Amino acid sequence: MKNIKILLPLVVLSLFVFSCQDAIDNNQPGDLFEKDVYTSLEDIQRGLNGVYSQLEGTNEISFTTLFTDEVKASVNNNSISPLFDQFLTRDSSTPQSMWYGSYAAISRANIFLDAIDVYQPKPGEEVAYNGFIAQAKVIRAWSHFRLLTYFSTDLTNDNALGCILGDHVINVKEFLPRSTNGEIFAFINQDLDEAFAVMNNPSYFNYANNTSELRKYLSPDFIRAFKARMAAYRGDYTTAKIYADELINKYSLATYSTYSGIWNDSNSNEVIFKLFGGSIGSIWATNNATFSGQPKYLIGYNLFSLLYNFSDGNLASQKDIRAKSFIESSSQISANPYANVALVGKYAQSSRGPLIADTKIFRVSEMYFIRAEVAAEQHNYSEVQAYLQALTDERFPVGQSPSINTPTSDQEAWAEILKQRRIELCFEGHRWVDLKRLAAKAGIVLDRNSADCHDVCDALNPATDYRFTLPIPRNELDGNTPIKVQQNPGYDSN
Amino acid sequence: MKSKFTWIMTLLLVFCIQISFAQQKTISGTVTSKADKMSVPGVNVVVEGTNRGVQTDFDGKYEIKASVGEKLVFSSVGSKTQVVKVSTNNVINIQLEDENILLEAVVIEGYDKTRTKAMSNVASTTVDSKVTGTRPNATFVQSLQNRLAGVDINTGSGQPGASSNVIIRGIGTATGQTSPLYVVDGIPMTSSAFRSINPEDIESTTVLSDAGATAIFGNRGANGVIVVYTKKGGYDTGLKVKYASTVGFSIMPKDDYGVLNSQQLLKLEKEYGRGTGFGQFNGSEYNVINTTPLTDNEIATYKTYDWQDYFFNTGLTNSHDLSFSQGGKNVNSYISFGYFDQTGIAKNTDLKRFSFRSNINGKSTDERFNYGTSFSLNYSKQNINAGEGSSNIVNNPLTGAKIGLPYLSPEGYLGSQDLLDQYLNGRELLYTTPWNLMDYLKNVYYSENVKMISAFRGSYKLAKALTLSSALNIDASQTNNVSWNNPDSFVGAYLSLVTLNSPGSQSENFSRYATFNSNTKLNYVYTIGKSTIDASIFMEYLKTYTKSFGYSKNGLNPKSSYPGAGTGFEPVIRNIQNSGNNAYDFNAFGGSSGLSHSGLLSYFGTVDYDYDRRFGLVSTIRRDGSYRFVGDNQWGTFFSFSARWNIDREKFMDGTAFNMLKLRASYGSNGNQSINAATRFLYGAGSGYNNSQAYLPGFANPDLKWESVYQANIGIDFGVWQNKLSGKVDVYNKFTKDLFQANPISAAVGFGTAQSVNFGSMSNKGVELTLFYDLLKQKDGFNIGLNANGAFNETKWVELPYTGVQEREGHIYGEYWMVRYIGVNPDTGNLLFLDKDGNKTENPDQNGADNVYLNKSSRPKYTGGFGVDVDYKGFYFNAQFGYSIGAYAFDYDLYNLRNDENIGFTNVSSDLLRAWKQPGDITDVPKLHFTNASSDQNSTYGLVNASYLKIRNMRFGYVVPSQILKKGPFTSINIFVQGENLHTWSEWRGKDVENAIFGGGLGTYPASKIYTFGLQLEF
């Protein structure tokens, strides 16, 4: 009896103490740990969907449109972006979102590749499983290329500084410097070659099924287009020619009648890859792309003049389908550059709603330009003219297209290519890179009409101006010591 | 009873040392207050001429050994000392009379500990129900403003029932929670729920400031602790019924921006070249219909309409409280019902509250077992202005009303469809703002809350010196927020146009939490010679279960839909034109659901040593475990030491004016765990590319741990000339280390720009002073008492992980880093600034090169209040003032009203009539179309000194003398009139300077002026 007197309270006490431990239990209902995630092929597909969701293509569009010579501010825009005034520092929005966004995609790809390593594909699953790995590698390669495009001073120089090499899951306690372009390109090519070997296989990717829906996913043709563009940016026109030719043979240009359907996603003609997109059109407008949709930025007058031909009559009677597709129909056209209200209509709407559309990353049109660049590099001016004319012919009603003059010098050839790129690829995020690459060869500078100016309106020279390379953003400088000495020229490094 | 507890005694025998006193018997009893029949804790009961002494416990009970013929001395600060000779009677109940009205009769410390002021080591201040009761404020916290030194209470929003921001001794965290811990009847809770607690039920509120007092709250005490007790009944008292009622009205305080009338504005528009006065009737630059400016005759025909009159009206306050208290020999009770109804000064805002409370206390006949329960159930419903605090002009009348064009009138509003047509035709929203606001009133947003707080506490005296007590508490709260966009409104119609759903939408969010808290304590008191040791060990368990869910529904039928009801939901319609991934539903439901558990487990102990009531030492140690942290970081240890020296008890103080002089010192630590960041790497299932399902890895920092606050405090409590003047002074240095904040990380990690880490430190240094002075004290004549409190605090960043501009090491918290604006250039009419070297310039660098640190902060340096209490033969008057000095805020309303770019779209300030016209003009307003506008937002152009002095509360009343009441049924009648926030002196031109100190003040609900008439009856 006496023992019970002592034991009982001890038992009661111990129960009390142990049951209290639940108060500090870390686990929450619904916790999902990595070890429990990938147990089937479908799980891996879902993991890859997560990696894909990090792909992003609107930053280059918004930055390019604001910083270069594509737009002017709408009169009732009371929050004009500092980028429009060519105000670019390590605190600006674009360097930050471009740098951090690209690495988010690289990191998710690396985490994915590490995590699915534990999964043993069952018989019959190997093709799909290897395909998932291949796509993650393409995303990793693409994101590295995006970083080089915007943060490397000179893509044609393999010894210039590139970006941080993201070849593994990087820990918070690792502090990595920028690698050279050559090192990054080698890594990109290795990823692309491995992926291509898996994906360029009819049992994996069947071109016959290359529908509009499938063009939102990475394919062997994406790798080809990627390689063509990368080679052109690097000045490696031998490689560029190979892939551009392959794609030109495979994809035909959209015609005068099908062209406008590309932009509202009712067709995917000539689109090699497009990113499932959100509200791209809100770069230029608040509510919708029409006159009453609270526009923020309007088409700049010099670009407008390239698209619009007053001798054709009003907007509806323009012969160039690009004028009708890119200038929204409720625009109030005026020959007075100050009064002209030309609304950006390239992403006016899709079936998913106003201002929403897929982001076209690769169209075969670009391959025609790359081919023209190859020809220019070889001083073959008639071939330059031929590729540019072939494209222009598809943009006008049959037999009504203007003829493009055959250049007589390298400079004329590059200038014509740059001008045609400006028209065809406007609002797709090309102009800034094109100016950086080709402005010196073409002998031109930033081309803003004085009517488009706001606070600052300098005709920047892309060949010499430091702002044609983005700064490493402040947080990276603060959080990663080795990179402090690697800031791009012209920007604060502290 | 005794036999049942034998086993506990057996277990705890080790703690137990029997002390016996020869030829003595045990005297016990209860000390109550003569005034309100409430038990008085902390009364010193000493056998005269010996060192035998005890204190009454929280229920006013004491037990002491004494022999027949000895004298017992009952003393307590603030009460007349009584001496009773011990006779054969073993029970001596005492009624103490108040000596004077001193707020700090008893010092309440943590975990039900109370002491007399002389015996307390800590920095704390208590206010009683006189301060918090019968005020027309929805939460008792509002009524504490400017009453407690070092406690900066700010009504961020004056919306009825909104929470106040409370900061004790400065901000001590970079990103964690800054609000203190509230402990109501022993139950720890957060402040957001106070709109449901009836201020009339509150007996006392105590703020604990120094580490000596707060360390016992360990992980939750870093921001200070506010301890609240509700009222209870007294033993052996008859039934007392108390009825209190207030009725009154509240009005919108006026701003000083001076908007223009129609004639002034139209002329200005004409001069500026935009808007109706210029001949543009459409409010749109593109659709210019008529560019012939109005003539003076035409301008004269316009009427002026003040839109503030439309959106703001007189609010009504109405409250009724009924309470019953009563006590028998072994049980007492307090039961109350409350009703509070306050309509706000902005349309569609109000608070309604029903509350019930029952506090019951009892004891066993042998008085060894004591228990108490408190239970309260409250319901409140609050209609809110959903756009409050936002710059959105079309859903926040607080932003939009003052900019409404005076030449528009409510008659011009022709319905939602008309408004939508105008908008779609390109008319500026700025122009139609007042009509949009009128339309917005069709929508309904409200929040309902049901709150239940219940507590049980019991104690059993295991042996003479050993007491085991336990408390079990439940705090449960359920909130339902409803947001209803009328299908017939502009917003409802516009959203449907964009989303292609049917007009109107409704969403509801439901959240509930239930916190279970238990606290077990073993207390042991040992006296030997002149020394007393009082030691306790505690264990505390706290677990919260949180549940939430919600839905949103697009498409409401305008005829059958009702806010919060499910009637009128339009059917979900499949979009048949699209297929595959592009198909979607119109009028779809969206839903959300959440479930989480959180908890804390703590072991702690405290040892309190007293020598001869002259010296005291207290030390506390506490170990806390939190569910938030993982591995070794889960447990944290906090401690404190505090000491006192009662100088007035020294021989050399005999004959001085000091009746009380005490030196206190403390040092200790606290933790802050109220941080929201992941400590474990988890995956989430979510939405992926192209509307697919995806797994997404998350980011975490498993190394996260508590933010620690170390605080040193030295204080003096004093009373001179028999407490004619009394008060206290405290000096403190609070140092926070392992600051919880965002540390920049390399992009290559892949998870954003920063990671939550413990890094860096900050300090708060300050002085607090509290004074009471009895200017005049006449029995049955004039009594005048003065009170004053003041605090100085400076918060500094000591070490930071990044090179941000607004926070910088060595600089004060919230310091402004701006370009210095010095006035309008008399030569050009543009703004004139100083560059970083002090040279005048019109175009300072926009990149920050010309910004300087201004040594001006968004936080005040000095805060406090003062007041006077007067009574004369039953008439009484009191007034309480509050002040805050040294805070600066950017006045966005002023900035917008003074911005010439708004001319033609909105009304503007009459300041613009003083605009610079020609070279040589000396004025403070730049010319219209001044050319360096882009430089002003980053400059001191809109920065205003937000210091203020406010009449917080003024009351005049009459207590009917008891002689008159003898014949009637009432025992007490008190009638009064009072006013809240009666007047403010400040450079700030907006409606309420307090809005500015927290959050810039743009579109925030000001605290209204409230006038009430009150009546209190007891019978």
Side-chain angles (χ1 to χ4, degrees):
Chain A
M1 196 60 196
K2 244 183 186 156
N3 286 342
I4 284 185
K5 276 189 181 176
I6 297 167
L7 269 174
L8 190 68
L10 279 177
V11 168
V12 170
L13 201 70
S14 66
L15 278 176
F16 192 45
V17 168
F18 287 113
S19 69
C20 284
Q21 287 294 330
D22 79 307
I24 53 171
D25 182 1
N26 294 129
N27 292 315
Q28 292 289 328
D31 280 349
L32 176 61
F33 295 95
E34 185 171 292
K35 64 181 174 52
D36 303 319
V37 173
Y38 296 116
T39 57
S40 74
L41 198 63
E42 198 200 340
D43 291 331
I44 296 172
Q45 171 76 64
R46 289 187 181 191
L48 184 66
N49 290 342
V51 182
Y52 259 90
S53 67
Q54 299 298 318
L55 285 173
E56 195 272 340
T58 50
N59 255 305
E60 36 273 71
I61 298 178
S62 68
F63 170 68
T64 299
T65 216
L66 294 171
F67 191 83
T68 64
D69 42 20
E70 291 190 330
V71 294
K72 67 172 180 180
S74 163
V75 182
N76 54 356
N77 182 345
N78 54 10
S79 58
I80 293 171
S81 166
L83 290 173
F84 183 69
D85 289 329
Q86 297 160 346
F87 184 67
L88 184 61
T89 71
R90 68 203 157 135
D91 291 314
S92 299
S93 57
T94 298
Q96 167 117 341
S97 49
M98 192 78 88
W99 181 263
Y100 277 88
S102 302
Y103 278 112
I106 293 170
S107 131
R108 295 310 180 284
N110 284 326
I111 292 171
F112 172 77
L113 291 169
D114 266 15
I116 65 165
D117 207 36
V118 297
Y119 184 78
Q120 290 298 321
K122 299 182 186 71
E125 290 182 349
E126 288 91 348
V127 172
Y129 177 79
N130 291 331
F132 293 148
I133 293 175
Q135 290 182 64
K137 286 184 175 171
V138 176
I139 290 171
R140 184 165 72 176
W142 172 250
S143 303
H144 275 100
F145 177 59
R146 192 169 178 244
L147 287 164
L148 291 188
T149 308
Y150 286 88
F151 293 93
S152 172
T153 47
D154 182 3
L155 287 171
T156 62
N157 178 1
D158 274 0
N159 294 320
L161 279 178
C163 59
I164 302 166
L165 179 63
D167 60 351
H168 65 287
V169 177
I170 291 167
N171 188 291
V172 183
K173 284 156 190 154
E174 284 181 73
F175 299 97
L176 302 173
R178 293 166 74 181
S179 299
T180 63
N181 284 345
E183 288 162 340
I184 302 289
F185 280 128
F187 180 68
I188 291 173
N189 279 319
Q190 186 194 331
D191 264 353
L192 290 183
D193 293 343
E194 285 172 18
F196 194 80
V198 174
M199 291 164 80
N200 193 31
N201 171 352
S203 70
Y204 180 73
F205 188 85
N206 188 349
Y207 184 72
N209 295 333
N210 191 3
T211 57
S212 186
E213 189 56 29
L214 209 58
R215 293 191 196 187
K216 292 185 210 158
Y217 290 91
L218 299 169
S219 65
D221 290 342
F222 174 88
I223 297 177
R224 289 186 177 101
F226 180 178
K227 286 201 158 192
R229 183 190 287 179
M230 183 163 69
Y233 283 10
R234 294 180 75 182
D236 171 10
Y237 284 106
T238 319
T239 309
K241 179 174 183 300
I242 299 168
Y243 294 106
D245 282 342
E246 280 185 38
L247 290 165
I248 287 169
N249 290 334
K250 218 165 164 183
Y251 291 77
S252 48
L253 286 164
T255 62
Y256 179 81
S257 56
T258 57
Y259 189 75
S260 56
I262 301 174
W263 306 107
N264 59 26
D265 295 327
S266 62
N267 72 55
S268 285
N269 290 7
E270 82 161 62
V271 175
I272 299 167
F273 177 75
K274 60 181 186 179
L275 263 177
F276 175 76
S279 187
I280 318 176
S282 49
I283 294 169
W284 301 278
T286 310
N287 297 323
N288 60 59
T290 68
F291 183 77
S292 59
Q294 308 276 337
K296 295 190 271 194
Y297 297 97
L298 311 167
I299 301 177
Y301 200 75
N302 291 357
L303 173 59
F304 170 79
S305 304
L306 293 174
L307 286 166
Y308 194 88
N309 189 344
F310 279 96
S311 61
D312 285 351
N314 63 14
L315 182 56
S317 52
Q318 289 294 306
K319 289 188 183 134
D320 190 339
I321 186 64
R322 292 174 298 197
K324 287 196 270 192
S325 302
F326 302 166
I327 305 171
E328 212 277 333
S329 58
S330 60
S331 297
Q332 300 201 347
I333 305 299
S334 164
N336 174 356
Y338 290 90
N340 186 41
V341 179
L343 302 149
V344 179
K346 203 162 194 172
Y347 307 95
Q349 62 180 337
S350 70
S351 63
R352 289 185 289 130
L355 305 178
I356 299 171
D358 295 334
T359 314
K360 285 75 188 173
I361 302 290
F362 285 115
R363 292 193 289 129
V364 78
S365 294
E366 187 189 348
M367 300 302 135
Y368 280 74
F369 293 125
I370 291 173
R371 262 316 262 113
E373 287 184 35
V374 173
E377 186 71 14
Q378 295 164 345
H379 320 291
N380 187 344
Y381 305 136
S382 60
E383 196 176 74
V384 171
Q385 193 275 344
Y387 276 103
L388 298 180
Q389 189 68 50
L391 180 104
T392 307
D393 286 348
E394 297 295 339
R395 301 297 174 245
F396 286 82
V398 179
Q400 297 188 35
S401 63
S403 51
I404 290 170
N405 294 331
T406 305
T408 58
S409 68
D410 278 10
Q411 187 168 1
E412 271 184 41
W414 288 113
E416 189 61 33
I417 293 170
L418 201 47
K419 177 180 149 192
Q420 293 301 328
R421 286 187 73 108
R422 187 180 184 191
I423 299 170
E424 174 70 32
L425 302 175
C426 64
F427 309 120
E428 291 180 67
H430 287 271
R431 179 70 176 162
W432 182 84
V433 191
D434 288 349
L435 285 171
K436 176 182 171 131
R437 294 189 304 128
L438 307 176
K441 289 179 178 175
I444 63 150
V445 294
L446 198 71
D447 178 35
R448 280 194 191 179
N449 190 291
S450 56
D452 301 351
C453 292
H454 178 238
D455 277 359
V456 182
C457 206
D458 296 337
L460 302 183
N461 183 354
T464 54
D465 196 281
Y466 70 95
R467 284 166 285 189
F468 281 82
T469 303
L470 294 186
I472 307 295
R474 184 194 284 272
N475 280 288
E476 182 72 37
L477 300 168
D478 277 351
N480 187 9
T481 352
I483 226 160
K484 277 207 180 224
V485 294
Q486 296 183 321
Q487 176 62 291
N488 283 325
Y491 298 105
D492 277 355
S493 57
N494 270 312
Chain B
M1 195 90 189
K2 192 173 178 177
S3 62
K4 286 181 194 164
F5 284 88
T6 345
W7 55 270
I8 300 178
M9 289 181 67
T10 316
L11 174 69
L12 298 166
L13 203 61
V14 278
F15 297 109
C16 197
I17 299 168
Q18 294 285 341
I19 306 155
S20 58
F21 297 88
Q23 284 125 27
Q24 288 174 341
K25 60 177 184 174
T26 302
I27 310 289
S28 65
T30 307
V31 180
T32 51
S33 155
K34 194 169 187 176
D36 59 4
K37 308 292 185 286
M38 298 285 214
S39 52
V40 184
V43 175
N44 294 308
V45 186
V46 184
V47 181
E48 198 178 63
T50 73
N51 53 33
R52 273 176 276 145
V54 296
Q55 284 185 13
T56 56
D57 64 13
F58 194 72
D59 295 316
K61 291 188 296 293
Y62 72 96
E63 214 171 64
I64 194 165
K65 296 276 187 188
S67 313
V68 175
E70 285 184 318
K71 284 176 183 167
L72 293 184
V73 181
F74 296 84
S75 64
S76 172
V77 176
S79 301
K80 284 182 184 161
T81 300
Q82 286 198 31
V83 183
V84 180
K85 201 170 181 179
V86 177
S87 63
T88 51
N89 200 342
N90 288 352
V91 175
I92 299 177
N93 290 328
I94 290 293
Q95 286 195 343
L96 282 185
E97 278 183 70
D98 285 354
E99 191 169 56
N100 53 23
I101 314 159
L102 195 71
L103 294 175
E104 294 175 286
V106 170
V107 176
I108 292 164
E109 297 178 8
Y111 289 93
D112 278 358
K113 184 110 187 161
T114 57
R115 298 166 205 264
T116 59
K117 193 170 164 184
M119 298 288 277
S120 173
N121 293 11
V122 305
S124 75
T125 315
T126 299
V127 295
D128 63 12
S129 56
K130 289 190 187 80
V131 170
T132 51
T134 63
R135 296 268 296 269
N137 294 322
T139 73
F140 73 92
V141 177
Q142 273 172 279
S143 302
L144 297 174
Q145 277 189 295
N146 306 110
R147 296 304 293 240
L148 302 165
V151 183
D152 185 18
I153 300 175
N154 209 293
T155 49
S157 162
Q159 185 145 284
S163 309
S164 304
N165 300 299
V166 180
I167 291 175
I168 299 175
R169 292 191 165 179
I171 289 173
T173 174
T175 60
Q177 192 177 310
T178 55
S179 67
L181 171 71
Y182 295 86
V183 182
V184 179
D185 287 336
I187 308 167
M189 54 181 64
T190 56
S191 71
S192 57
F194 286 139
R195 74 168 205 244
S196 291
I197 289 184
N198 183 356
E200 284 301 305
D201 285 339
I202 289 170
E203 172 66 27
S204 72
T205 310
T206 302
V207 57
L208 305 178
S209 309
D210 71 343
T214 59
I216 198 163
F217 294 95
N219 56 36
R220 307 180 81 185
N223 297 317
V225 181
I226 291 180
V227 179
V228 176
Y229 283 104
T230 58
K231 289 175 182 167
K232 52 186 186 174
Y235 289 115
D236 292 320
T237 54
L239 175 65
K240 195 160 75 179
V241 181
K242 198 167 166 181
Y243 169 74
S245 172
T246 56
V247 288
F249 58 93
S250 41
I251 54 174
M252 177 68 107
K254 290 259 182 290
D255 65 50
D256 191 24
Y257 294 126
V259 290
L260 300 178
N261 65 30
S262 289
Q263 279 66 39
Q264 289 170 317
L265 182 62
L266 289 164
K267 277 180 192 156
L268 190 64
E269 288 177 351
K270 187 174 165 181
E271 181 188 345
Y272 188 81
R274 188 164 63 197
T276 305
F278 185 59
Q280 295 171 322
F281 291 109
N282 221 1
S284 159
E285 295 240 319
Y286 298 136
N287 287 349
V288 179
I289 292 169
N290 176 1
T291 48
T292 313
L294 298 183
T295 64
D296 286 355
N297 285 340
E298 283 171 325
I299 285 176
T301 63
Y302 280 82
K303 291 196 178 79
T304 295
Y305 189 79
D306 184 353
W307 283 101
Q308 305 219 35
D309 286 347
Y310 185 87
F311 292 105
F312 306 126
N313 44 18
T314 302
L316 295 175
T317 298
N318 187 358
S319 76
H320 301 276
D321 292 281
L322 186 61
S323 67
F324 303 86
S325 66
Q326 154 174 52
K329 190 170 176 297
N330 291 326
V331 65
N332 67 50
S333 67
Y334 169 86
I335 292 167
S336 82
F337 300 92
Y339 171 74
F340 180 85
D341 186 358
Q342 189 168 62
T343 55
I345 42 185
K347 278 188 178 165
N348 285 6
T349 63
D350 64 19
L351 174 74
K352 259 195 185 64
R353 174 178 60 220
F354 299 92
S355 55
F356 167 76
R357 170 170 291 277
S358 158
N359 290 351
I360 295 167
N361 293 290
K363 59 187 178 185
S364 62
T365 316
D366 65 0
E367 304 213 340
R368 293 182 76 141
F369 179 64
N370 283 278
Y371 70 93
T373 66
S374 67
F375 175 81
S376 84
L377 190 64
N378 310 277
Y379 168 82
S380 67
K381 181 177 174 185
Q382 192 182 22
N383 276 301
I384 48 183
N385 165 16
E388 198 209 335
S390 87
S391 59
N392 191 331
I393 45 164
V394 294
N395 70 12
N396 186 5
L398 296 153
T399 312
K402 56 173 110 38
I403 64 163
L405 291 169
Y407 47 76
L408 304 182
S409 71
E411 290 77 50
Y413 169 69
L414 301 174
S416 307
Q417 189 57 46
D418 172 67
L419 215 47
L420 187 64
D421 291 343
Q422 293 192 44
Y423 178 73
L424 295 178
N425 286 322
R427 190 167 243 194
E428 281 290 331
L429 275 176
L430 272 172
Y431 182 90
T432 58
T433 290
W435 295 335
N436 281 93
L437 287 171
M438 285 172 71
D439 193 82
Y440 197 73
L441 293 174
K442 289 178 175 178
N443 303 319
V444 176
Y445 306 94
Y446 68 83
S447 173
E448 285 174 296
N449 177 256
V450 178
K451 187 169 181 67
M452 190 270 288
I453 309 168
S454 62
F456 170 81
R457 57 192 173 276
S459 68
Y460 185 73
K461 194 162 273 187
L462 299 166
K464 180 92 324 199
L466 192 64
T467 307
L468 178 71
S469 36
S470 187
L472 296 166
N473 308 314
I474 303 171
D475 167 19
S477 177
Q478 184 170 308
T479 305
N480 189 26
N481 295 323
V482 176
S483 153
W484 184 77
N485 285 321
N486 192 326
D488 275 336
S489 71
F490 173 83
V491 174
Y494 177 68
L495 286 179
S496 84
L497 203 73
V498 175
T499 61
L500 310 177
N501 294 304
S502 303
S505 65
Q506 176 169 305
S507 67
E508 288 190 69
N509 284 299
F510 171 93
S511 65
R512 181 190 67 211
Y513 72 80
T515 299
F516 299 92
N517 168 233
S518 82
N519 176 7
T520 307
K521 167 184 166 184
L522 190 61
N523 173 252
Y524 174 67
V525 183
Y526 174 62
T527 307
I528 181 165
K530 290 184 170 183
S531 299
T532 304
I533 292 172
D534 181 339
S536 301
I537 53 170
F538 299 79
M539 192 191 93
E540 186 170 5
Y541 167 92
L542 185 140
K543 180 122 185 169
T544 301
Y545 299 85
T546 308
K547 170 72 199 150
S548 65
F549 59 81
Y551 73 87
S552 63
K553 167 75 173 116
N554 285 309
L556 301 177
N557 183 301
K559 288 192 173 148
S560 61
S561 178
Y562 186 82
T567 54
F569 283 179
E570 296 281 15
V572 180
I573 297 164
R574 188 79 185 161
N575 175 355
I576 49 167
Q577 283 170 347
N578 293 298
S579 57
N581 273 357
N582 287 331
Y584 61 97
D585 294 332
F586 294 129
N587 297 344
F589 273 99
S592 67
S593 176
L595 182 65
S596 68
H597 302 156
S598 57
L600 296 166
L601 185 59
S602 316
Y603 300 95
F604 50 110
T606 171
V607 179
D608 184 340
Y609 173 78
D610 171 68
Y611 179 76
D612 193 24
R613 300 159 59 75
R614 276 198 290 153
F615 301 101
L617 272 175
V618 179
S619 87
T620 302
I621 185 155
R622 170 152 172 158
R623 237 173 116 61
D624 277 304
S626 165
Y627 81 103
R628 282 181 209 267
F629 307 114
V630 295
D632 292 343
N633 297 317
Q634 190 155 36
W635 288 88
T637 306
F638 308 98
F639 69 93
S640 78
F641 301 99
S642 64
R644 85 182 126 79
W645 177 26
N646 299 79
I647 303 171
D648 56 81
R649 292 182 63 87
E650 298 293 344
K651 287 271 185 300
F652 60 80
M653 291 297 288
D654 289 351
T656 65
F658 284 94
N659 60 303
M660 152 84 164
L661 184 63
K662 181 176 69 174
L663 180 66
R664 292 180 275 109
S666 70
Y667 182 72
S669 66
N670 274 115
N672 191 353
Q673 60 117 29
S674 292
I675 52 185
N676 208 357
T679 52
R680 298 168 309 137
F681 289 98
L682 296 170
Y683 270 68
S687 162
Y689 181 72
N690 198 15
N691 290 331
S692 62
Q693 293 160 312
Y695 288 121
L696 301 158
F699 195 43
N701 181 2
D703 296 332
L704 281 179
K705 58 181 180 185
W706 321 87
E707 203 173 69
S708 314
V709 177
Y710 294 83
Q711 189 178 190
N713 188 94
I714 294 174
I716 290 170
D717 295 343
F718 64 90
V720 287
W721 308 305
Q722 295 308 307
N723 275 344
K724 189 173 170 63
L725 175 68
S726 64
K728 59 177 188 144
V729 187
D730 277 284
V731 181
Y732 61 87
N733 184 356
K734 201 163 89 164
F735 189 82
T736 313
K737 67 171 206 174
D738 296 330
L739 277 180
F740 180 75
Q741 52 187 329
N743 189 34
I745 54 169
S746 171
V749 176
F751 289 89
T753 58
Q755 183 193 33
S756 302
V757 296
N758 295 99
F759 186 92
S761 50
M762 65 196 295
S763 76
N764 276 282
K765 291 177 186 169
V767 183
E768 292 165 356
L769 174 69
T770 306
L771 288 175
F772 296 95
Y773 184 65
D774 290 325
L775 188 64
L776 207 57
K777 202 156 185 154
Q778 300 170 332
K779 201 173 163 66
D780 300 328
F782 260 113
N783 289 296
I784 302 177
L786 304 175
N787 69 73
N789 71 79
F792 164 81
N793 183 75
E794 186 175 73
T795 313
K796 265 193 173 163
W797 296 108
V798 180
E799 194 184 7
L800 287 167
Y802 45 80
T803 59
V805 287
Q806 293 296 351
E807 294 99 29
R808 184 153 286 199
E809 288 177 9
H811 283 265
I812 51 177
Y813 182 94
E815 182 168 1
Y816 289 101
W817 181 73
M818 288 179 156
V819 174
R820 289 163 289 176
Y821 164 71
I822 53 167
V824 172
N825 189 339
D827 300 328
T828 64
N830 280 327
L831 302 177
L832 201 55
F833 304 93
L834 292 181
D835 69 10
K836 71 172 190 313
D837 301 320
N839 304 313
K840 288 178 185 174
T841 173
E842 283 193 7
N843 294 298
D845 186 276
Q846 307 240 5
N847 195 9
D850 286 327
N851 287 28
V852 293
Y853 287 95
L854 298 170
N855 196 26
K856 288 175 180 170
S857 162
S858 55
R859 300 289 312 149
K861 276 198 167 63
Y862 303 90
T863 55
F866 51 89
V868 58
D869 295 272
V870 182
D871 67 80
Y872 177 73
K873 293 188 188 299
F875 290 96
Y876 64 93
F877 168 78
N878 46 53
Q880 194 66 32
F881 294 76
Y883 64 86
S884 165
I885 301 169
Y888 284 80
F890 198 89
D891 190 343
Y892 292 98
D893 280 327
L894 179 64
Y895 182 84
N896 288 331
L897 288 166
R898 215 163 51 172
N899 184 352
D900 63 342
E901 291 184 8
N902 286 328
I903 296 174
F905 294 130
T906 72
N907 202 345
V908 291
S909 166
S910 56
D911 288 10
L912 285 172
L913 301 177
R914 298 198 299 269
W916 184 95
K917 296 273 189 319
Q918 58 195 23
D921 282 1
I922 306 291
T923 175
D924 60 335
V925 182
K927 66 182 174 192
L928 302 181
H929 300 288
F930 67 99
T931 55
N932 57 350
S934 56
S935 309
D936 58 1
Q937 277 243 10
N938 183 30
S939 77
T940 57
Y941 182 54
L943 195 68
V944 179
N945 188 337
S947 301
Y948 68 84
L949 171 65
K950 211 171 195 180
I951 306 179
R952 186 64 69 193
N953 175 271
M954 216 177 246
R955 185 193 310 222
F956 178 74
Y958 180 61
V959 178
V960 181
S962 47
Q963 300 95 296
I964 299 174
L965 292 175
K966 265 179 188 161
K967 288 173 187 150
F970 299 108
T971 52
S972 163
I973 297 175
N974 177 359
I975 52 173
F976 57 88
V977 288
Q978 69 176 337
E980 291 276 326
N981 305 315
L982 290 177
H983 190 75
T984 306
W985 292 268
S986 174
E987 279 179 35
W988 187 261
R989 292 168 68 184
K991 292 181 192 303
D992 186 3
V993 59
E994 283 186 67
N995 290 159
I997 296 176
F998 245 93
L1002 179 67
T1004 313
Y1005 208 117
S1008 41
K1009 290 184 187 183
I1010 310 177
Y1011 300 91
T1012 50
F1013 168 78
L1015 170 69
Q1016 273 184 305
L1017 298 173
E1018 280 180 41
F1019 47 90

